Amino acid sequence: LQVNVTGIKNDGAIKVPAGVFNGTKMVKGEASFLGKTYHSTSWYHSSVPINGIVKSSTDDGNIVTELLDFGFRIKESRFK
């Protein structure tokens, strides 16, 4: 697996199920795996815990991930 960042820029607002995030960073990159190269665009925001990712999409649109929710609310565990 080889990953390269091909561009980073300040971007505007991005809307996902978790809300609207103003002032995102847009990162374009490519990853090569088993002889195939995938190009993607991802948006990050500093208010999102852990890795900051809000949305990511392959440039062909076949794979899209979006932040559904986040926060510090404590939910009851389903494991007892």
Side-chain angles (χ1 to χ4, degrees), residues 2-54:
Q2 181 179 350
V3 178
N4 297 312
V5 173
T6 59
I8 299 174
K9 73 173 192 170
N10 291 328
D11 206 24
I14 186 110
K15 183 178 180 182
V16 295
V20 177
F21 294 83
N22 294 304
T24 60
K25 293 273 189 196
M26 184 179 71
V27 177
K28 289 197 162 276
E30 62 183 28
S32 297
F33 181 70
L34 297 174
K36 186 164 181 172
T37 300
Y38 301 89
H39 298 272
S40 66
T41 304
S42 300
W43 291 264
Y44 296 85
H45 195 273
S46 61
S47 69
V48 177
I50 311 294
N51 64 6
I53 195 160
V54 175

